[in-house]
Amino acid sequence: MAENAIEIEALQKTYAGSGTQAPKSALKGIDLTIPAGSIFGLLGPNGAGKSTLINILAGLVTKSSGRVKIWGFDQDVNPRQSRAAIGVMPQELNMDPFFTPRAALEVQAGLYGVPKSQRRTDEILKMIGLQDKADAYARSLSGGMRRRLLLGKALVHRPQILVLDEPTAGVDIELRQMLWQNVRRLNEQEGLTVILTTHYLEEAQEMCDEIAIINHGEVIVRDSTAALVGRMDAKTLVVHGDGPIPDQIPLPDGVDMSRRRDGALALTYHRNAISAGDVLDAVRAAGVTLRDVATEEPDLEDVFMALTTSAPNKDQSAASTRN
């Protein structure tokens, strides 16, 4: 088993311009390693370069420069082996409407050179919940069923790495739960490395061991999910009082106060500078009798917004990116 499922060094991709359009630099020297056996989140706003990176890994887009190793195989030296090590579940529902799920899996396995004796078509159909639709035309399947079939097609050649590109976009809760149950099982029981792109950040926070955030074609941060969330030291106390709460309360410097629709006070402060006790003491000193106090912690969405709403700083990126 390779120590790293993916190793990327100085990866660049520039799309040629046409007419008056200038060339576009989609990836600007990406350095990234993804540990084998992990569930790794690859996040970023639209246009950040995620799709270009995934398409390069899948062999669908040719890089401009740099080095890519997939499961220990250099993409330039061993293109067939590196491509065989990875399976991609794309965003787009691209499939032949006249193929049945069984036929689609068989054809996909054939394209990867999987001998008939080694194909797992029935096993995969059962795993993705399509065994009762195995011989129905794909055009008769619902959108959720088609998305399940895409997952099955990505698994036919037993890849060591599975890329899920926005796998739960527009799907119902039942399908989402089924997908994540299967992904966790494949990761835990078979050691499959999973790379996830998603705009549902709570999903990434729950599923991923580590996360890299890409913006403007650069990795601006990469760390464990817990460490990323821990970077935000802001905390909010939500205070409900017995009786009216004054509009103005003298608070320690650095505490922001707002009022919620239900009349509660939201007091946001930085844990490294102020303690919760100091904040609550100030509220009591203003004559407020506390009925209930709740805390709100930052989440991955707060981190994501803080990092991607401003232009990337190369010095900070270099310091915060761990390869």
Side-chain angles (χ1 to χ4, degrees):
M1 183 175 178
E3 180 182 352
N4 292 314
I6 303 283
E7 296 179 3
I8 299 170
E9 296 178 10
L11 181 62
Q12 297 191 44
K13 176 60 183 178
T14 301
Y15 291 101
S18 58
T20 58
Q21 239 178 4
K24 179 185 176 182
S25 181
L27 299 177
K28 306 172 184 177
I30 295 284
D31 291 313
L32 185 65
T33 58
I34 297 176
S38 65
I39 300 181
F40 193 94
L42 190 63
L43 309 181
N46 291 330
K50 303 187 304 296
S51 294
T52 297
L53 177 55
I54 288 172
N55 287 333
I56 290 174
L57 293 177
L60 302 175
V61 169
T62 303
K63 66 183 184 297
S64 299
S65 62
R67 182 166 169 263
V68 176
K69 291 180 72 176
I70 301 175
W71 209 249
F73 296 107
D74 190 302
Q75 216 176 38
D76 296 326
V77 179
N78 303 106
R80 290 185 64 183
Q81 291 91 331
S82 65
R83 190 174 298 184
I86 195 167
V88 178
M89 179 183 173
Q91 290 185 48
E92 299 80 14
L93 295 173
N94 54 349
M95 59 186 65
D96 191 318
F98 297 100
F99 274 26
T100 65
R102 185 186 304 280
L105 295 181
E106 285 287 320
V107 169
Q108 188 79 356
L111 291 173
Y112 276 99
V114 180
K116 286 193 175 183
S117 61
Q118 297 178 21
R119 294 179 189 175
R120 321 179 280 156
T121 300
D122 288 331
E123 177 189 337
I124 292 174
L125 285 169
K126 183 178 180 181
M127 183 187 74
I128 60 178
L130 290 181
Q131 66 269 42
D132 60 337
K133 298 286 186 180
D135 299 309
Y137 285 128
R139 68 172 183 263
S140 69
L141 302 179
S142 67
M145 291 177 181
R146 294 182 189 188
R147 197 160 285 281
R148 296 184 199 187
L149 183 54
L150 291 180
L151 173 61
K153 289 176 67 175
L155 295 170
V156 294
H157 59 296
R158 292 185 182 270
Q160 289 87 359
I161 303 161
L162 174 65
V163 177
L164 303 174
D165 192 5
E166 299 287 347
T168 57
V171 304
D172 59 31
I173 294 174
E174 181 183 0
L175 175 56
R176 186 174 299 182
Q177 290 177 340
M178 181 278 295
L179 174 68
W180 293 131
Q181 287 172 0
N182 284 330
V183 167
R184 283 194 178 99
R185 184 183 64 80
L186 290 166
N187 174 255
E188 293 170 3
Q189 297 180 12
E190 300 185 20
L192 187 71
T193 303
V194 179
I195 301 172
L196 167 68
T197 77
T198 180
H199 283 97
Y200 298 113
L201 298 183
E202 71 281 1
E203 194 169 74
Q205 184 170 342
E206 180 183 349
M207 289 294 300
C208 297
D209 308 313
E210 297 185 67
I211 287 172
I213 298 178
I214 296 179
N215 200 19
H216 302 295
E218 299 177 284
V219 176
I220 57 174
V221 68
R222 176 267 172 90
D223 213 330
S224 71
T225 306
L228 272 178
V229 174
R231 289 175 180 228
M232 301 291 289
D233 72 339
K235 188 172 184 177
T236 299
L237 292 175
V238 181
V239 175
H240 293 265
D242 273 331
I245 298 178
D247 289 333
Q248 299 294 327
I249 295 177
L251 293 168
D253 291 340
V255 179
D256 293 324
M257 184 178 80
S258 61
R259 194 177 294 269
R260 299 281 172 88
R261 290 184 179 180
D262 61 357
L265 286 184
L267 304 163
T268 302
Y269 63 99
H270 291 278
R271 289 173 287 188
N272 292 337
I274 304 167
S275 72
D278 290 340
V279 177
L280 293 177
D281 285 345
V283 175
R284 292 191 189 96
V288 178
T289 302
L290 303 181
R291 175 168 54 86
D292 183 60
V293 177
T295 61
E296 294 178 352
E297 301 283 350
D299 57 19
L300 185 59
E301 183 173 352
D302 297 315
V303 179
F304 182 86
M305 294 302 295
L307 290 170
T308 59
T309 52
S310 59
N313 181 298
K314 290 189 177 180
D315 294 332
Q316 290 178 350
S317 300
S320 61
T321 302
R322 178 168 55 84
N323 293 317

